[in-house]
Amino acid sequence: RFCFSASTHPTALRMAELKTRLLSGEQPQEKNESVTEDSFREEGEEDEPVEVGKDGQIKAGPRTSWSTLFDLDRAPKARTTWSDHGFIEWDGAHIVRYNPKLLVTFKIFTLRGTVFDYRHKWIFIQVILLLILVLFTAWYTVRVPSDNDGLNMSIVGASDVLNALSSFLLSFFVTLVIDRWWAMMELFQELNSTARTVAHSACTHLPGERARVYRERLIRLAWLANVLAVLAFRRDEDLGHIKQYSCSDVFALTAAEAERLALHKPNMRVWLVTQWMDATILRAITAGVVATPEIAQPVLYGATHSLHAGSSKLLHIIERQLPFSYVHLLTVVVKVTVIFLSLEYGYHIGLLYLQYSYGLMCVDAIGVLLVNFFYQGLLNLFAVLARPWFEHPAHVPRFAILRTLQRDLIALHQAAEDPEFAAIDEETVQARPDLFRRIQPNTPLSG
């Protein structure tokens, strides 16, 4: 039921077929340099219910490989990487990684994944309303020039005070939002690292065919704990959504496991899975299949407890929001500030119209647009990053992270069974058939 055998997994079958072609002298087919959303899916995997944007396709150059370090026959050739000419890589719904060099140079006008994403139409609506206020103030300044001096002093004085106050509050606010997001990302990566630690420790301390069922169950449950943690962060109670993050059926829930998990709330399911892992470790020790129980027991138990503690800590950070009174006060201050700044800009535009300075009028019109967008964008940063587990493009790329974790766990298990071949990357073999033949010149077909 939980077999990760190198001879049955789809990736291993493709590797075995590729190995046969290379040993027979057949040249590998040229790689398609166009990376699309299908590149993230295993063979036979169903499409996921996520929205794929029109710009979800990126261009990728030849893959940089560690195998160039072992090329003793010729000097290493210059290789290009994805970051040389790719901008953003998507997992279908979220940004997996981006190129900072392009972002700060030629791609600053992109909107998808920013605080000005099309999902936040209310920002544009507010800016349009503020522009209407600017035009009304300019019209009033032109129509009633006698009140200009008093109006100018009142508006400028209020806007200066509000601008200083909102700038002071926003500086602390943005720092708190980024620090909170960074803490969540660090804890989530620790959960992924702990799952890999479980897989490595299981392969090390539970060797052999007799320990296979315990080893594979521990690896599967470690991945399942990460997925259930993400569902808990999203407050998602539907266990059927687990398969969205999987690229292999061997990690699927059994009927008995699904029934037991369905009886618990999402925030308690990770704890239940870690209890199953503890019970599996105890059964393995009792069955005598653990190679070094005195070393394996504290390592494996410590890893399972880290899974539960890490997910609980991350859930506490997610549920611990910034103070409502502070966020509400800051929102009111920023909204009032942009209103008074719009009044000030409108007054200046009216005066410039009376002086026939049409060029400066255009400069002020652009200025009021930028000021409003920047203030609204800094405030909207909190709405985007407060709970980064949903469908905004800037949220955590949970599909890519959890599928990569699953592939890594399978590769660790295969490498423990066949260290010389099982963990060799398929793209590396395609790029360097000469190196593959030199390492294994007479290797017969195997998993």
Side-chain angles (χ1 to χ4, degrees):
R1 172 63 184 85
F2 309 120
C3 182
F4 300 164
S5 174
S7 61
T8 59
H9 191 264
T11 302
L13 293 176
R14 294 201 306 274
M15 291 290 290
E17 180 183 357
L18 177 62
K19 183 177 179 180
T20 305
R21 296 201 310 268
L22 292 173
L23 294 176
S24 63
E26 182 181 347
Q27 292 297 326
Q29 298 179 354
E30 294 184 0
K31 291 171 54 179
N32 184 5
E33 295 185 357
S34 179
V35 180
T36 63
E37 303 302 333
D38 294 334
S39 303
F40 292 97
R41 300 193 181 101
E42 288 285 354
E43 183 178 338
E45 182 183 356
E46 296 179 356
D47 292 336
E48 305 297 347
V50 294
E51 181 182 355
V52 180
K54 295 181 180 179
D55 56 348
Q57 182 173 346
I58 63 172
K59 295 292 184 180
R63 184 176 182 274
T64 300
S65 173
W66 55 265
S67 62
T68 56
L69 301 176
F70 299 93
D71 191 353
L72 306 179
D73 296 338
R74 59 172 183 256
K77 292 184 177 180
R79 301 263 180 160
T80 59
T81 64
W82 172 88
S83 60
D84 289 329
H85 44 74
F87 177 42
I88 294 179
E89 181 176 339
W90 303 86
D91 69 351
H94 310 99
I95 298 174
V96 178
R97 58 177 175 265
Y98 64 91
N99 187 335
K101 180 176 66 175
L102 293 181
L103 179 61
V104 300
T105 52
F106 306 109
K107 300 290 187 177
I108 60 173
F109 298 105
T110 185
L111 292 180
R112 188 181 179 195
T114 68
V115 292
F116 307 115
D117 192 85
Y118 67 91
R119 292 171 176 80
H120 306 286
K121 298 182 180 66
W122 61 270
I123 291 183
F124 298 91
I125 295 174
Q126 292 186 26
V127 171
I128 291 173
L129 293 176
L130 291 171
L131 284 178
I132 295 174
L133 179 61
V134 170
L135 294 176
F136 175 78
T137 307
W139 173 83
Y140 182 81
T141 303
V142 173
R143 297 287 294 179
V144 190
S146 59
D147 294 340
N148 286 345
D149 293 337
L151 180 65
N152 181 31
M153 293 179 61
S154 301
I155 292 177
V156 171
S159 64
D160 288 344
V161 173
L162 289 171
N163 191 27
L165 179 60
S166 60
S167 300
F168 176 76
L169 292 176
L170 275 174
S171 62
F172 288 101
F173 179 72
V174 172
T175 301
L176 287 173
V177 170
I178 297 298
D179 287 345
R180 182 175 179 271
W181 177 86
W182 190 258
M184 287 191 286
M185 295 305 99
E186 285 187 332
L187 287 174
F188 187 52
Q189 292 300 326
E190 286 182 11
L191 287 180
N192 283 254
S193 300
T194 303
R196 291 179 173 89
T197 301
V198 170
H200 181 268
S201 301
C203 293
T204 303
H205 300 293
L206 281 77
E209 191 64 28
R210 290 182 57 212
R212 171 182 290 276
V213 63
Y214 304 102
R215 181 170 65 244
E216 294 175 351
R217 179 171 172 79
L218 281 176
I219 294 174
R220 186 176 66 87
L221 291 178
W223 176 83
L224 183 61
N226 277 261
V227 178
L228 291 176
V230 171
L231 294 182
F233 304 154
R234 292 168 50 82
R235 297 179 180 175
D236 188 352
E237 298 187 3
D238 190 353
L239 294 174
H241 291 165
I242 292 177
K243 70 177 183 178
Q244 295 180 1
Y245 306 97
S246 177
C247 55
S248 176
D249 290 338
V250 298
F251 281 78
L253 286 174
T254 64
E257 290 171 344
E259 290 176 356
R260 288 172 172 80
L261 289 173
L263 298 175
H264 293 76
K265 292 294 183 182
N267 60 333
M268 293 298 295
R269 289 170 180 171
V270 178
W271 169 82
L272 182 59
V273 170
T274 57
Q275 294 299 307
W276 293 346
M277 295 175 70
D278 290 343
T280 303
I281 297 169
L282 181 60
R283 292 194 189 103
I285 295 174
T286 305
V289 297
V290 181
T292 52
E294 65 281 359
I295 299 177
Q297 187 170 354
V299 171
L300 291 173
Y301 277 132
T304 59
H305 295 165
S306 296
L307 281 174
H308 176 247
S311 63
S312 299
K313 189 182 300 184
L314 182 50
L315 188 61
H316 290 162
I317 293 178
I318 294 173
E319 297 298 333
R320 187 179 64 231
Q321 296 179 314
L322 295 179
F324 174 81
S325 301
Y326 174 74
V327 178
H328 180 269
L329 174 63
L330 178 63
T331 303
V332 172
V333 170
V334 170
K335 303 298 184 185
V336 174
T337 299
V338 294
I339 290 175
F340 272 86
L341 286 174
S342 300
L343 291 173
E344 183 178 356
Y345 272 103
Y347 172 77
H348 288 163
I349 290 174
L351 291 181
L352 292 172
Y353 178 82
L354 293 175
Q355 300 171 6
Y356 303 101
S357 300
Y358 301 118
L360 294 178
M361 287 176 57
C362 295
V363 174
D364 276 5
I366 296 174
V368 72
L369 278 174
L370 294 178
V371 168
N372 280 300
F373 271 120
F374 291 158
Y375 269 104
Q376 303 281 3
L378 288 173
L379 194 61
N380 191 45
L381 193 65
F382 172 69
V384 174
L385 299 181
R387 299 184 66 88
W389 308 99
F390 294 92
E391 307 309 325
H392 192 281
H395 285 178
V396 179
R398 58 187 190 277
F399 298 109
I401 291 176
L402 292 175
R403 290 173 188 172
T404 300
L405 174 63
Q406 188 179 87
R407 294 187 181 104
D408 289 349
L409 297 182
I410 293 174
L412 283 170
H413 188 273
Q414 292 176 349
E417 294 185 339
D418 189 358
E420 294 185 356
F421 182 74
I424 294 179
D425 183 72
E426 183 177 354
E427 294 185 6
T428 301
V429 176
Q430 288 180 334
R432 297 301 310 277
D434 57 326
L435 177 66
F436 179 80
R437 292 195 189 94
R438 187 162 66 250
I439 293 176
Q440 297 183 336
N442 300 314
T443 305
L445 177 64
S446 66

